[in-house]
Amino acid sequence: MKKIYSCVLLLASLLLFIMGDGAKWNLNEVPLFHEQPATAFAETIQSKPFITEREFEQVVTLTQNQPMYMKQENLVRIGELQANQAVAIIGEDEEYYEIRVGKMPAFIRKGQAKVEKNVIKAPLHAERLGAVKTAEETPVYSEANRESGILMQLREGYRYPVVQEENDWYIIKVGERAGYIHKSSAEMDEGLPVLLYHQVLPRKLMETEMSTISLEKFEEQMAYLANEQFTTLTSQELYDYLEGRLVIPEKALIITFDDGLLSSKKYAYPVLKQYGFTSPHHIISSRLDRGKGAPAFDGGGLLKYLDAEDLKEMTDVFQFEAHTCALHELGIESGAGLVFEHSEEEIIEDLKLNLHHVPSAISIAYPYGQYNDEFIAAAKEVGLLIGYTTVEGYANMDRSNYEVNRFGMTEKRSFKDFATYVDGDMRWP
């Protein structure tokens, strides 16, 4: 080894001699002696340009401003594309051009426009960074310069997916093109409120406050959401939002129920229906017929559950989701969730049984909020897209889609806490 090292030094000296007196020799520049920093690869990636020029077969340039829509039950206006700004088309019909905002299809009514092959400045990827909220109509510039032309105007009161942050700008993808939102005109989205309920009972019937909220308090909360014009989302819409495939109102949230208790039919369902709200409801399928003949709403004893017919009657309000078939139990010895005593394959089989009763499910609520890597892998294997936890917080793009935060609602929770949370102002240490 010493001989090899000596030979290398001799070779280095010879090269230095050949290069002449003016040469500067730094052994740290020679790979043999230089230990590459661990951050070098990341720095190399980050140094590559995020925006590149790409040619598209169909690029439309409008001659006048046109509203831009997203398609739900009806077309919803989400902004206005400006004249003389080129964006790529991904489809069209007799009446509309189809483009993308982030990963979401958006539609522009056909009018006076030029469609041709063209080159536009496009982001190299459309991966989610997060979303921004607009408090007023917000310009999207064609360059990172407020003197540049305006590409589109975003509508007030919505959350839009962004793909990159660059100095004073957020970058949004519009028609495969990079658009720039100045940070002074929009704020980063903290995420969506996700409420968690179990049992809803009239106060006079309550025997415990554990996982229970009074009907009176529930009605007060739902009235607040209606008066403040909140929109309720499904688990599918939450997934699309988290993936950058959906523009949603700033005042949006998810109301979830767990366990499939009969009280949700008698008390929660009418209130939700009154206000036009919907809710993912997570069902423990092994309990669908449990407790027949027992007291209907005995909070301190055996709880009564929905049955298969109840599920059919309430699909106008509830989307019935997964909560396992027979794993919503605690281990006798460990006291931890029963799921920890089962393999991934066993969890998959349980979830398949659960999905037999809720075949449209796309989300899972983890029993007692407990899960592990095997549970997540099993949920993915059976095609579930969202995993709800009991960790307090907002649903945002900082966490995995299989680790969605929620905020539990019981009688002990104050109305002030409820309002602070749904208004997006709750903070945790």
Side-chain angles (χ1 to χ4, degrees):
M1 190 64 166
K2 289 182 179 179
K3 289 182 179 180
I4 295 173
Y5 185 76
S6 299
C7 289
V8 171
L9 288 177
L10 180 61
L11 179 59
S13 301
L14 181 60
L15 287 172
L16 183 61
F17 175 78
I18 294 172
M19 292 167 66
D21 295 337
K24 294 182 178 179
W25 186 259
N26 184 355
L27 289 180
N28 285 332
E29 293 178 358
V30 183
L32 181 63
F33 301 101
H34 180 53
E35 185 176 348
Q36 188 75 3
T39 57
F41 181 66
E43 290 170 353
T44 301
I45 292 176
Q46 292 173 1
S47 67
K48 290 182 179 179
F50 177 72
I51 308 297
T52 187
E53 291 190 342
R54 290 180 57 194
E55 183 178 72
F56 293 87
E57 290 295 322
Q58 287 191 299
V59 175
V60 63
T61 305
L62 302 176
T63 58
Q64 58 185 10
N65 299 349
Q66 286 280 12
M68 186 183 299
Y69 303 94
M70 63 178 176
K71 188 178 291 185
Q72 295 185 324
E73 291 183 4
N74 301 304
L75 290 178
V76 178
R77 187 175 67 84
I78 58 170
E80 185 176 78
L81 186 63
Q82 303 297 288
N84 304 314
Q85 294 290 347
V87 293
I89 300 171
I90 61 171
E92 63 179 300
D93 58 21
E94 292 183 4
E95 194 169 355
Y96 292 94
Y97 294 119
E98 182 179 348
I99 68 169
R100 274 194 290 254
V101 175
K103 300 177 185 177
M104 182 191 78
F107 301 88
I108 308 160
R109 193 180 299 275
K110 288 184 173 179
Q112 293 183 344
K114 177 172 63 176
V115 178
E116 60 184 349
K117 181 186 290 188
N118 205 345
V119 174
I120 60 178
K121 290 183 178 179
L124 289 173
H125 68 77
E127 296 305 315
R128 60 186 188 178
L129 166 69
V132 295
K133 299 191 297 187
T134 56
E136 58 187 5
E137 190 174 83
T138 301
V140 177
Y141 295 92
S142 57
E143 303 285 347
N145 180 349
R146 284 201 266 193
E147 300 300 319
S148 66
I150 295 177
L151 170 59
M152 73 171 291
Q153 294 279 2
L154 303 179
R155 188 177 175 185
E156 172 189 351
Y158 278 81
R159 305 172 192 239
Y160 295 85
V162 291
V163 297
Q164 183 79 350
E165 186 176 0
E166 185 179 282
N167 299 322
D168 293 331
W169 300 87
Y170 298 117
I171 300 177
I172 185 172
K173 193 172 183 180
V174 180
E176 311 309 307
R177 179 176 173 180
Y180 296 83
I181 305 167
H182 197 268
K183 289 183 178 179
S184 64
S185 61
E187 63 175 308
M188 203 68 186
D189 182 10
E190 73 284 342
L192 284 172
V194 184
L195 299 172
L196 165 59
Y197 297 92
H198 289 83
Q199 179 95 292
V200 179
L201 294 174
R203 193 170 284 122
K204 64 183 180 182
L205 295 182
M206 288 176 55
E207 295 187 10
T208 177
E209 293 184 343
M210 184 179 297
S211 299
T212 304
I213 188 171
S214 67
L215 175 60
E216 293 83 356
K217 185 169 281 191
F218 182 72
E219 288 177 326
E220 180 186 25
Q221 293 175 353
M222 295 304 105
Y224 178 83
L225 297 178
N227 291 337
E228 293 295 317
Q229 299 183 317
F230 274 86
T231 298
T232 53
L233 303 180
T234 65
S235 290
Q236 179 66 59
E237 289 169 325
L238 171 63
Y239 173 76
D240 290 339
Y241 158 79
L242 293 174
E243 287 295 315
R245 296 194 181 111
L246 188 63
V247 171
I248 61 173
E250 179 181 357
K251 290 193 172 185
L253 82 167
I254 301 93
I255 302 172
T256 67
F257 276 79
D258 282 8
D259 294 355
L261 294 168
L262 186 57
S263 62
S264 63
K265 177 182 179 180
K266 185 169 180 63
Y267 298 116
Y269 171 79
V271 178
L272 294 170
K273 186 170 183 176
Q274 174 188 347
Y275 293 116
F277 293 155
T278 64
S279 167
H281 195 151
H282 298 92
I283 301 298
I284 308 168
S285 51
S286 64
R287 301 184 186 180
L288 283 173
D289 294 322
R290 176 181 169 185
K292 286 189 174 179
F297 307 115
D298 180 6
L302 183 65
L303 300 173
K304 197 165 184 181
Y305 290 80
L306 300 168
D307 60 28
E309 289 303 313
D310 293 325
L311 270 56
K312 293 177 183 177
E313 294 173 12
M314 297 189 293
T315 55
D316 57 335
V317 168
F318 291 120
Q319 308 97 41
F320 293 104
E321 303 283 348
H323 204 26
T324 74
C325 177
L327 295 181
H328 198 294
E329 304 286 351
L330 296 175
I332 296 174
E333 295 183 4
S334 67
L338 197 60
V339 67
F340 296 136
E341 300 177 12
H342 288 75
S343 66
E344 179 183 327
E345 291 72 22
E346 290 170 332
I347 299 170
I348 288 172
E349 291 307 310
D350 179 90
L351 291 177
K352 286 179 178 178
L353 292 173
N354 193 199
L355 292 174
H356 177 73
H357 294 275
V358 286
S360 299
I362 64 108
S363 69
I364 173 79
Y366 302 117
Y368 306 104
Q370 298 181 10
Y371 63 95
N372 54 17
D373 290 342
E374 288 75 17
F375 204 157
I376 292 177
K380 292 178 180 179
E381 178 64 25
V382 299
L384 298 171
L385 303 175
I386 292 289
Y388 289 108
T389 73
T390 55
V391 176
E392 290 189 348
Y394 293 105
N396 57 43
M397 300 176 192
D398 294 338
R399 294 173 63 87
S400 162
N401 293 349
Y402 294 90
E403 295 179 295
V404 174
N405 297 329
R406 293 192 286 179
F407 198 61
M409 287 290 118
T410 68
E411 192 68 6
K412 295 179 180 179
R413 188 78 74 179
S414 71
F415 182 81
K416 180 181 178 181
D417 282 350
F418 164 82
T420 301
Y421 177 71
V422 298
D423 289 340
D425 298 325
M426 184 73 77
R427 297 294 178 264
W428 288 267

